[in-house]
Amino acid sequence: MDVKTIQDLYKKAVLAELDGVEFIAEFPDEELADSYNGIGPEFLPPTLREKVTQHLSLFAPAALIHDLRNEYSDGTRRSFNYANYEFLANCRKLAARKYAWYNPRRYIAYHVAKLLYWFVCGDCGWTAWIQAMERHEKKVSGNSAGETKE
């Protein structure tokens, strides 16, 4: 993802007062851009994930935060659940911000947010959470065995 897009998503996240903004504020734009893959699982072909992200762009600021939580996964179920609940809450905030309470689109967006939540909570989401932790540990340690540097 390009830095300009990341800056735009970050600004939207701040304006919407999303949970986790203080977490992603710790990272440079380049690292955010490297960690953010849009909306959808990593196993989707990039062109398909781009289309999904465009179609569900309302939720992209929440996905940015969620992707960073995933990138820095600690491998625990507690953090996994927290990241997913935060994602759902942020998606709902974005829907409520975009659509007035009397607009049926708000409730459709709530339903889509719940579907996205169930997707990230499933087995695929858990597998991605563990793989992200292992991938990050290898990056930090500098070797494929996962040993720490001294």
Side-chain angles (χ1 to χ4, degrees), residues 12-84:
K12 288 177 182 178
V14 169
L15 290 173
E17 299 179 4
L18 298 186
D19 297 327
V21 169
E22 68 287 342
F23 169 67
I24 65 170
E26 299 175 17
F27 300 98
D29 292 339
E30 294 76 18
E31 190 166 353
L32 294 174
D34 188 48
S35 298
Y36 176 67
N37 72 357
I39 298 174
E42 287 182 358
F43 64 78
L44 285 180
T47 54
L48 180 56
R49 197 168 50 243
E50 284 176 30
K51 288 180 183 181
V52 171
T53 301
Q54 283 179 333
H55 187 66
L56 299 174
S57 62
L58 171 63
F59 303 120
L64 173 63
I65 296 167
H66 189 265
D67 282 358
L68 260 291
R69 294 273 189 210
N70 190 72
E71 180 67 25
Y72 289 93
S73 160
D74 64 2
T76 66
R77 185 61 79 165
R78 180 183 179 136
S79 295
F80 174 73
N81 290 340
Y82 178 85
N84 293 333

Side-chain angles (χ1 to χ4, degrees), residues 3-150:
V3 171
K4 185 175 178 344
T5 300
I6 293 302
Q7 290 171 339
D8 183 49
L9 291 176
Y10 179 78
K11 182 179 177 182
K12 288 177 182 178
V14 169
L15 290 173
E17 299 179 4
L18 298 186
D19 297 327
V21 169
E22 68 287 342
F23 169 67
I24 65 170
E26 299 175 17
F27 300 98
D29 292 339
E30 294 76 18
E31 190 166 353
L32 294 174
D34 188 48
S35 298
Y36 176 67
N37 72 357
I39 298 174
E42 287 182 358
F43 64 78
L44 285 180
T47 54
L48 180 56
R49 197 168 50 243
E50 284 176 30
K51 288 180 183 181
V52 171
T53 301
Q54 283 179 333
H55 187 66
L56 299 174
S57 62
L58 171 63
F59 303 120
L64 173 63
I65 296 167
H66 189 265
D67 282 358
L68 260 291
R69 294 273 189 210
N70 190 72
E71 180 67 25
Y72 289 93
S73 160
D74 64 2
T76 66
R77 185 61 79 165
R78 180 183 179 136
S79 295
F80 174 73
N81 290 340
Y82 178 85
N84 293 333
Y85 287 131
E86 179 182 64
F87 177 63
L88 174 61
N90 283 340
C91 287
R92 290 179 58 89
K93 281 183 182 182
L94 290 163
R97 182 175 169 81
K98 174 131 176 120
Y99 303 112
W101 68 266
Y102 52 82
N103 189 331
R105 289 181 179 179
R106 175 188 273 200
Y107 304 99
I108 292 168
Y110 283 174
H111 184 68
V112 171
K114 190 69 169 188
L115 292 172
L116 290 171
Y117 167 76
W118 283 114
F119 185 78
V120 298
C121 285
D123 290 340
C124 289
W126 177 249
T127 300
W129 185 258
I130 297 301
Q131 288 172 346
M133 179 200 63
E134 292 169 350
R135 187 174 55 247
H136 187 70
E137 284 179 349
K138 286 178 186 176
K139 262 197 249 183
V140 171
S141 70
N143 64 58
S144 60
E147 297 171 5
T148 57
K149 290 182 180 177
E150 293 186 34

